[in-house]
Amino acid sequence: MIYLDNAATTWPKPPQVLRAAAGVMAQPFGNPGRGGHKAALRAGRVADACREAVADLLGGAPERVIFTLNCTDALNLAIRGLLHRGDHVLVTHDAHNAVMRPLAGLEDRGEITLSVLRADEKGLLSPESISEAVGPATSLCILTHASNVTGTVQPVAELIAAAHGYGIPVLLDAAQSAGTLDLKTTGADLLAMPGHKGLLGPMGTGVLYVGEQVSPRPLREGGTGSASESVHQPDILPDRYESGTLQLPAIAGLLQGVRFVRTHGAEIHEYETYLFDRLRSRLSAMPEVTVYGAGDTPHVGVLSFNLRGRECAEVADLLDQRGFCLRGGLHCAPCMHRWLGTQGTVRASVGPFSTEAEIDSLGDAIGQILQEK
Ligand SMILES: Cc1ncc(COP(=O)(O)O)c(C=O)c1O
């Protein structure tokens, strides 16, 4: 099997991720923050170490790293926790449904209004696109760092600086770029990341980094193991947002994934970009293949294509029959497909353990499918 669906979740994970996750269940680890016995304290140290590793990767404060279930959960906390009736929100053509659905729900109930920023022909946004869309009620700007359809990376530092010029905080969806960015260079006020994609952790992990400038309302309240004398949700971080038992086996794995990325991050990004370029040039040489996204903009290792006259789902199935795991469809990004003018695409997405040989055999398989038509 050749796994090229790393944009959905990365596989394989480094072996230390598997060992750490299994170790938490095999050995006596208690419930972190619940109880003063050795097993609970040991569990608490794992959660603290992971929080510190993520904070170190991002250049932030550990208590502002909030563990969530995935990137969708992190985005929901930020969006539904921050917005109020009457707010206006800036959003982008490349937003995932993890952003669009919470926003559309609020819009349908008449609570907020939305404006979609104007992108240029390459799909890039500019500071002017923000100036054009800002209004008196604009209270949040939500940017996607890298598209999960085309891999195109937005110039987020300039865009965030422009939004800050109007006093508007920015929530950055870094689902496809986690591991390649930090708080200082982007300037994001809130950063949502999955733990199970670029950070190489298990599924069931995600992070919302909550900057000092913002204070979302918690969406989930309950026991935190702290301030238990009070029936009210504590104000201290991260407890304010982390009610209930943490997914400790997954967090233990995430700690190892983050350490791996901290050590190899720059090489991983360079390698994945190289594999993307190799696949792009192979597919672009086939006249019956349309490759989406501009080839000359910054990107991550996510590439979308279609074969002339073929449904994307059919192509993904034919590739599956040949042993390739690629995703066909809308990739939960309908606005991006409206912008591209497509009904869906086949998406190949590489990870740190993908190989040149795998990319080349995908190119061969697509060539064979075209010949069999
Ligand atoms: C851009 C983007 N945002 C959000 C998400 C949601 O991430 P998760 O699957 O961790 O909820 C994804 C998932 O693919 C994504 O690509």
Side-chain angles (χ1 to χ4, degrees):
M1 183 203 282
I2 295 183
Y3 184 82
L4 290 171
D5 196 12
N6 290 274
T9 197
T10 45
W11 188 86
K13 313 287 182 187
Q16 54 273 39
V17 171
L18 278 62
R19 279 198 299 271
V24 163
M25 287 178 288
Q27 292 153 29
F29 278 85
N31 194 328
R34 315 294 199 273
H37 55 77
K38 287 188 182 55
L41 296 180
R42 193 175 182 210
R45 282 196 292 275
V46 172
D48 289 348
C50 187
R51 218 182 283 287
E52 279 159 23
V54 173
D56 181 50
L57 184 75
L58 295 178
E63 69 277 12
R64 297 196 161 272
V65 171
I66 310 303
F67 290 128
T68 62
L69 300 176
N70 45 49
C71 192
T72 303
D73 195 31
L75 289 162
N76 268 265
L77 170 54
I79 293 170
R80 292 168 51 221
L82 280 176
L83 294 177
H84 295 95
R85 182 170 281 280
D87 282 346
H88 172 238
V89 180
L90 305 181
V91 70
T92 57
H93 67 296
D94 54 4
H96 189 275
N97 268 347
V99 169
M100 290 312 299
R101 287 185 172 170
L103 289 177
L106 292 168
E107 189 186 34
D108 290 348
R109 291 195 289 278
E111 294 185 26
I112 62 161
T113 52
L114 297 176
S115 295
V116 180
L117 301 180
R118 184 180 51 82
D120 71 11
E121 67 290 349
K122 291 186 174 180
L124 292 175
L125 299 161
S126 63
E128 294 71 50
S129 61
I130 293 190
S131 321
E132 289 162 9
V134 166
T138 312
S139 64
L140 184 64
C141 173
I142 309 177
L143 300 175
T144 312
H145 191 199
S147 162
N148 70 319
V149 179
T150 58
T152 303
V153 172
Q154 296 294 339
V156 286
E158 297 173 33
L159 301 171
I160 293 174
H164 285 171
Y166 293 95
I168 301 166
V170 178
L171 164 61
L172 188 59
D173 176 354
Q176 298 299 337
S177 57
T180 70
L181 79 170
D182 62 45
L183 292 159
K184 191 156 169 242
T185 47
T186 59
D189 301 281
L190 301 116
L191 192 55
M193 305 190 296
H196 62 99
K197 303 189 202 252
L199 299 182
L200 304 175
M203 287 187 254
T205 54
V207 162
L208 180 68
Y209 189 88
V210 179
E212 281 170 23
Q213 317 78 335
V214 285
S215 181
R217 298 176 297 280
L219 300 189
R220 201 184 308 126
E221 292 168 313
T224 55
S226 57
S228 297
E229 71 288 354
S230 170
V231 295
H232 296 287
Q233 190 72 4
D235 279 334
I236 54 162
L237 300 184
D239 305 32
R240 181 165 150 83
Y241 302 111
E242 287 183 1
S243 289
T245 298
L246 288 174
Q247 64 281 38
L248 196 72
I251 288 172
L254 177 62
L255 166 61
Q256 298 304 325
V258 170
R259 285 185 178 158
F260 185 90
V261 169
R262 186 88 176 100
T263 312
H264 302 288
E267 297 156 51
I268 293 174
H269 183 54
E270 198 181 316
Y271 180 60
E272 291 180 356
T273 305
Y274 160 75
L275 292 177
F276 171 103
D277 291 338
R278 188 176 177 98
L279 182 61
R280 188 179 175 97
S281 59
R282 179 86 192 267
L283 298 187
S284 302
M286 300 179 181
E288 288 166 298
V289 180
T290 305
V291 180
Y292 298 96
D296 57 353
T297 53
H299 52 264
V300 294
V302 178
L303 181 139
S304 266
F305 62 93
N306 272 320
L307 307 194
R308 194 183 304 149
R310 298 281 184 103
E311 292 288 329
C312 57
E314 181 202 347
V315 176
D317 279 349
L318 289 169
L319 287 168
D320 187 30
Q321 286 162 24
R322 288 168 164 78
F324 295 90
C325 299
L326 273 76
R327 187 168 172 196
L330 294 168
H331 318 297
C332 304
C335 306
M336 184 62 173
H337 286 280
R338 273 198 288 280
W339 186 84
L340 286 168
T342 51
Q343 307 295 320
T345 57
V346 189
R347 181 181 75 180
S349 49
V350 298
F353 305 108
S354 303
T355 64
E356 282 180 5
E358 288 175 337
I359 292 297
D360 293 349
S361 58
L362 174 63
D364 294 344
I366 293 169
Q368 284 161 13
I369 290 172
L370 285 171
Q371 279 180 357
E372 281 164 16
K373 199 172 164 186

